[in-house]
Amino acid sequence: MTSAVAYRLVVGVLPWLTIALLSVPVVAGVLGALAPAFGWLPALGGERLTLAPWRQLFAVPGIVDMARLSLVTGLVSAALSLGLVVLFLGSFLHTALYRRIQRWLSPLLAVPHAAAAIGLAFLLAPSGWAARGISPWLSGWAYPPDYAFPGDAWGLSLILGLVVKEVPFLLLMSLAALVQCQAGERLRVARSLGYRPLTAFLKGVMPGLYPLLRLPLYAVIAFATSTVDVAMILGPTTPSTLAVSVVGWLNDPALSMRFMASAGAMLQLLLTLAALLIWWALERLVARASRGWCRDGRRQCGDRWLAGMAWLAMRTVLGLMMAALAGLALWSVAGYWPFPAFLPWPPTAHNWLNAADDLAAPVWQSLGVALAATLVSVVLVLGALEAETQRRRPMRPWAQLILYLPLLVPSVAFLFGLVMMQAQMGVRPGLGAVIIGHAVFVLPYVFLSLAESYRRLDPRWGQQASSLGAGPWRIFWRVRLPLLLTPVLTAAAVGFAVSIGQYLPTLLLGAGRVVTVTTEAVSLASGGDRRLTAIYALLQLLLPALGFMLAMLVPRYVFRRRRGLLPGAD
């Protein structure tokens, strides 16, 4: 077999392996949860189809409130996030503020959901940093006030936590979409006709931009309606959201609860589909209602006060994130810190020293799982993008849908089914299952982070190397990969961060045998030891930060004698 044939074989197989990794676990998992939901699970004595699990589920007290909470918090947080992103882009696109925030998007996206939620919980709790900042000089509080936030019955704190994490994701997805819809050219034409910046963006760019943001937005809705770790930390408990209750039923010592948990997982799937359907209907309604507004010729629509609102909201979101992370750092070195003291004094390293012995195992297991899942994902994504380059045609719509499949289907639904199938097939839970589970979630983010850079690489580099006699392997390793080293390492850092933040795949597929910093942080968040919780949450931040630091430093070392290959070089 010649090297060219081997190259074509590898490049032809890797895209199909990518599709298999993204689709098979999701489809198999949903089917694996569907059968027990109707009573069929021979391993637990369920050998006939029945609706008893559904009757048991609908008899649970508060089940309607659980579903309502999941639906409302998911839709409201997605709507707020999209509105904020659109107003910010429309008001500040191509400004210095936009460029400054753009540089922070990847690090902000790398902050795990659980770490951000824990930081917000510490910030907004009655004895948190926010209450300390206004006490007693403004509020008069000498003791922590009596209010339930986070954990309020309306899910407001959960919505706030989701918005803080969804805004950076939607902004990052907008970067590539703005290029694809030729936003710059559209804006120039609209501005030349006298439209104010925000109006020009809404009337000239949004009709082309929104279709490109639709799938990422659907992924945001699916996540928000079915999140477990964020809801466990910020959401209400009586009742909790549906996804949190399903996980609780799955971990119930009574094995008969597995049937009802399966029905709950299917209900969560239906709930997410209902949320997507409602959003789709709202899309149509807004498109029809705004058709006349787009054509009325008015050049401005309250640009100034809307821009001010976007500026304030974006700074509030970023400020909350920064304050939450700073609060985590303070709690990790706090000794005795009575209310209403604003700062712990004196700071102490005893918390870290006391926890050091227990940190080793979670850190090493987190690193091992994240590195393996990221490596698998990067290899598959490179293969898929190389195949796309060789075929000289963009990704088909059905392949793009499969790329988003693990993000669109609620994880609690298909992971639950995978656990059921894992038990029936006699596959022991452990590191292997957890790595595959993480790769299912890591791969889409690696693809989305790398695809635009890979597609925009000038094909003449490869053509020139080929004219000089280089084979396909040599062109890939010696030309294309070095030119894309920085984007590849950045995508790997994003994938590594996504893996570090995974809670549910580790909990379910590892069956408690794989302990990571995220599983420890989430389990500690419900306890009373803020110092130890803060240490684990900070480790969730430090590990991805290490990945991003390597992604920045390695190209500088490799290209120290060829600085023209570094990002930003002229």
Side-chain angles (χ1 to χ4, degrees):
M1 181 184 297
T2 64
S3 64
V5 174
Y7 174 81
R8 283 198 296 272
L9 183 64
V10 171
V11 169
V13 167
L14 286 179
W16 292 107
L17 287 179
T18 304
I19 291 171
L21 179 62
L22 291 173
S23 59
V24 171
V26 178
V27 175
V30 171
L31 294 176
L34 185 62
F38 290 94
W40 182 262
L41 187 58
L44 295 182
E47 296 182 344
R48 65 184 182 86
L49 296 177
T50 173
L51 292 177
W54 291 92
R55 287 194 291 270
Q56 189 182 1
L57 174 67
F58 288 124
V60 171
I63 186 69
V64 175
D65 291 331
M66 294 177 196
R68 175 187 55 78
L69 267 172
S70 300
L71 190 68
V72 172
T73 54
L75 287 173
V76 172
S77 64
L80 289 175
S81 303
L82 177 65
L84 177 53
V85 168
V86 169
L87 287 181
F88 178 76
L89 288 176
S91 304
F92 299 102
L93 188 63
H94 301 148
T95 64
L97 177 62
Y98 172 76
R99 286 190 287 275
R100 279 201 299 274
I101 290 181
Q102 186 181 354
R103 283 196 292 270
W104 285 94
L105 282 182
S106 292
L108 286 175
L109 190 63
V111 176
H113 284 84
I118 292 171
L120 278 176
F122 286 3
L123 178 68
L124 302 174
S127 60
W129 216 22
R132 291 169 185 267
I134 58 172
S135 300
W137 62 276
L138 181 60
S139 64
W141 294 332
Y143 299 96
D146 185 17
Y147 62 80
F149 198 90
D152 58 290
W154 294 93
L156 298 178
S157 51
L158 177 57
I159 292 172
L160 181 63
L162 290 169
V163 169
V164 166
K165 279 300 294 173
E166 288 165 0
V167 165
F169 174 72
L170 289 177
L171 271 176
L172 190 67
M173 294 299 102
S174 301
L175 296 183
L178 286 169
V179 176
Q180 292 178 42
C181 73
Q182 300 178 319
E185 291 81 353
R186 289 169 179 253
L187 272 179
R188 274 194 292 274
V189 171
R191 293 301 308 277
S192 68
L193 294 173
Y195 285 89
R196 301 287 296 169
L198 179 57
T199 309
F201 184 86
L202 294 176
K203 293 188 175 183
V205 178
M206 272 309 288
L209 177 64
Y210 186 79
L212 300 174
L213 284 181
R214 184 176 282 120
L215 278 178
L217 193 57
Y218 286 0
V220 164
I221 295 171
F223 175 83
T225 53
S226 62
T227 181
V228 173
D229 49 354
V230 180
M232 287 175 70
I233 297 166
L234 294 176
T237 54
T238 50
S240 61
T241 61
L242 182 60
V244 173
S245 299
V246 169
V247 173
W249 297 330
L250 176 63
N251 291 323
D252 195 287
L255 294 178
S256 60
M257 291 292 285
R258 301 294 190 276
F259 295 100
M260 191 182 80
S262 296
M266 289 297 99
L267 180 61
Q268 178 63 65
L269 178 61
L270 294 174
L271 196 67
T272 300
L273 290 175
L276 295 175
L277 189 61
I278 291 172
W279 188 271
W280 177 83
L282 289 175
E283 282 179 7
R284 297 293 178 274
L285 190 63
V286 171
R288 178 165 297 184
S290 61
R291 197 170 297 161
W293 176 76
C294 287
R295 297 172 179 169
D296 65 4
R298 283 189 293 179
R299 266 48 177 178
Q300 64 90 25
C301 57
D303 287 50
R304 183 168 297 177
W305 71 270
L306 284 174
M309 195 169 66
W311 179 87
L312 182 62
M314 184 61 74
R315 295 220 169 193
T316 301
V317 167
L318 297 180
L320 280 174
M321 177 74 87
M322 295 298 111
L325 302 184
L328 286 179
L330 287 176
W331 272 108
S332 73
V333 295
Y336 179 60
W337 191 7
F339 190 89
F342 186 63
L343 293 174
W345 193 262
T348 175
H350 286 167
N351 301 330
W352 286 90
L353 295 175
N354 292 336
D357 291 340
D358 298 328
L359 295 177
V363 169
W364 281 116
Q365 294 203 7
S366 300
L367 286 174
V369 171
L371 287 173
T374 303
L375 180 62
V376 169
S377 302
V378 169
V379 170
L380 291 177
V381 167
L382 284 174
L385 289 171
E386 182 66 11
E388 188 180 301
T389 303
Q390 295 300 317
R391 292 168 187 160
R392 298 180 183 179
R393 66 173 184 233
M395 181 185 287
R396 301 288 178 84
W398 63 267
Q400 193 168 3
L401 185 61
I402 287 179
L403 178 67
Y404 278 93
L405 195 59
L407 307 182
L408 292 174
V409 178
S411 55
V412 71
F414 75 85
L415 286 175
F416 180 84
L418 282 181
V419 172
M420 293 290 105
M421 295 185 73
Q422 193 180 19
Q424 292 194 50
M425 295 168 68
V427 178
R428 297 186 63 182
L431 272 177
V434 172
I435 289 170
I436 294 174
H438 278 220
V440 171
F441 293 96
V442 169
L443 199 149
Y445 287 97
V446 173
F447 193 99
L448 293 170
S449 302
L450 183 58
E452 191 60 28
S453 300
Y454 210 99
R455 289 166 180 161
R456 294 176 66 179
L457 182 67
D458 194 337
R460 289 174 295 183
W461 288 106
Q463 294 165 5
Q464 190 170 3
S466 180
S467 68
L468 294 173
W473 285 110
R474 193 175 177 83
I475 293 173
F476 177 76
W477 287 108
R478 302 298 298 272
V479 178
R480 196 166 285 127
L481 206 53
L483 287 170
L484 290 167
L485 181 61
T486 301
V488 169
L489 290 178
T490 304
V494 171
F496 182 80
V498 170
S499 177
I500 291 293
Q502 291 299 313
Y503 171 71
L504 206 54
T506 314
L507 181 73
L508 296 183
L509 299 177
R513 299 176 187 178
V514 180
V515 179
T516 65
V517 291
T518 298
T519 59
E520 290 296 281
V522 174
S523 62
L524 286 168
S526 58
D529 193 341
R530 291 188 179 184
R531 295 159 184 81
L532 190 57
T533 306
I535 288 173
Y536 277 98
L538 280 177
L539 282 175
Q540 279 190 284
L541 298 175
L542 293 176
L543 294 179
L546 181 64
F548 278 102
M549 190 182 301
L550 289 175
M552 183 179 65
L553 294 179
V554 168
R556 292 183 180 279
Y557 176 76
V558 172
F559 299 136
R560 63 190 182 282
R561 295 186 179 129
R562 292 177 288 174
R563 294 192 174 273
L565 291 174
L566 291 173
D570 293 328

